[in-house]
């Protein structure tokens, strides 16, 4: 007698059962063995699909880079932050604030307002150092506007500051995800140096450091030094000599990556809270650059985030970099040994004699070429309509 479908039976089981009921008794055992084999094959196929999906998911997660952004939120920091928050390749685990373009207090307020604008109150935002390690702070409202954000007043933040000290938060997150965190400092390196000095064990646990700072062709503060390094040379020397994988995204590539009226027009063609804010910031910077005879604004900090997204945007040979901390005219200069060699001078009597050449171990990849158009298009595409 055929079975009727009940809620407790699946159509597949019912069809097998009805088929079995019509068979002679001696063949029922063989039939059920056959059915069992077919069901096992089905379940194995389903398990294979689930496994393949899990592997695909894990591989997608592996391609997402976990980053901590350390920033002194001025105008180009704002563009860097919004690029990071709107790039699926990056998982922003925290934002720590360092004084530089603006004071520590103003920087924290700016960071909180921008994170709120992006609806990302889930990301911890923590204040850090209040001043450089051994010198007085130099702020840059001249270049970034009175509030550091091109004089644009963003709505008050819905987000609250994380109570942890920035360098402590960096240490905590690195230990929580060993070999997975990339640090992206786009301001003076005070917070990063404090973290290393407090807990040197984080150095081998870092995946990479991608910093905006330095130059091997001259400075923008003076003839020798770039602003982020100049604002805390001692901290920069600690970071460069720490011994972790480090990429220096400096003036050498930033000055080749100019956002101009073409990109402004593209941003003006779409709208959204982030889009309109970044358009206002970029317009301020382009107009300021034009006052000094430039055709666009250098994308210093955003390019460091761009390298975190896609390292093929730049060419970065390995060099040994030291930071000058004592020179009267060169304090803050990043001195790069392009050949990674140094002459060996040996004292003989009253003078030295060159007796050979010693190898110097590189400690940084220094960006010297950039695919500027490709980066600018990436930046605009991530901001448009947001």
């Amino acid at each position: 007698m055929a079975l009727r479908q009940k809620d407790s039976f699946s159509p597949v089981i019912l069809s097998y059962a009805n088929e079995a009921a019509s068979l002679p008794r001696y063949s029922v055992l063989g039939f059920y063995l056959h059915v069992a084999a077919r069901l096992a094959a089905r379940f194995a196929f389903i398990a294979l699909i689930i496994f393949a999906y899990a592997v695909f998911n894990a591989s997608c997660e592996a391609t997402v880079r976990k980053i901590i952004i350390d920033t002194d939120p001025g105008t180009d920091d704002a563009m860097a932050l919004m690029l990071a928050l709107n790039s699926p390749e990056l998982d922003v685990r925290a934002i720590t604030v360092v004084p530089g373009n603006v004071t520590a207090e103003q920087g924290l307020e700016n960071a909180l307002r921008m994170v709120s604008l992006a609806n990302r109150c889930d990301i911890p935002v923590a204040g850090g150092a209040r001043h450089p390690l051994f010198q007085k702070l130099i702020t840059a409202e001249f270049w970034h506007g009175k509030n550091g954000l091109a004089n644009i007043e963003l709505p008050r933040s819905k987000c609250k500051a994380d109570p942890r000290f920035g360098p402590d938060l960096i240490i905590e997150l690195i230990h929580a995800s060993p070999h997975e965190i990339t640090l992206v400092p786009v301001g003076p390196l005070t917070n990063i140096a404090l973290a290393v000095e407090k807990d040197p064990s984080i150095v081998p646990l870092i995946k990479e450091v991608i910093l905006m700072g330095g130059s091997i062709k001259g400075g923008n503060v003076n003839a020798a030094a770039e602003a982020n390094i100049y604002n805390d040379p001692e901290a920069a020397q600690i970071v460069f000599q720490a011994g972790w994988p480090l990429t220096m995204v400096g003036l050498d590539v930033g000055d080749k990556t100019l956002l101009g009226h073409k990109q402004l027009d593209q941003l003006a063609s779409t709208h959204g809270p982030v889009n309109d804010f970044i358009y206002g910031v970029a317009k301020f910077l382009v107009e300021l650059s034009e006052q000094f005879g430039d055709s666009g604004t250098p994308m210093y900090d955003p390019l460091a985030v761009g390298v975190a997204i896609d390292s093929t945007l730049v060419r970065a040979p390995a060099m040994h970099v030291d930071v000058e901390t004592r020179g009267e005219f060169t304090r803050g200069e990043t001195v790069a040994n392009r050949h990674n060699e140094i002459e060996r001078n040996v004292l003989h009597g009253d003078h030295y004699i060159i007796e050979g050449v010693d190898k110097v171990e590189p400690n940084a990849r220094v960006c010297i070429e950039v695919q500027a158009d490709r980066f600018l298009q990436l930046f605009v595409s991530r901001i448009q309509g947001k």
Side-chain angles (χ1 to χ4, degrees), residues 296-342:
T297 182
M299 296 288 277
Y300 295 133
D301 292 355
L303 184 57
V305 172
V307 173
I309 294 169
D310 181 1
S311 62
T312 68
L313 287 167
V314 293
R315 186 170 77 84
M319 303 181 192
H320 185 91
V321 178
D322 285 291
V323 179
E324 177 58 68
T325 60
R326 291 179 292 179
E328 180 182 355
F329 303 107
T330 56
R331 178 170 162 80
E333 181 180 7
T334 42
V335 183
N337 190 322
R338 294 161 176 79
H339 302 291
N340 298 308
E341 295 176 344
I342 187 169

Side-chain angles (χ1 to χ4, degrees), residues 75 141 144-154 277 280-281 284:
T75 48
E141 291 85 355
H144 297 271
K146 290 181 180 178
N147 66 350
L149 297 180
N151 301 318
I152 297 169
E153 282 297 326
L154 292 176
F277 167 58
V281 168
F284 171 90

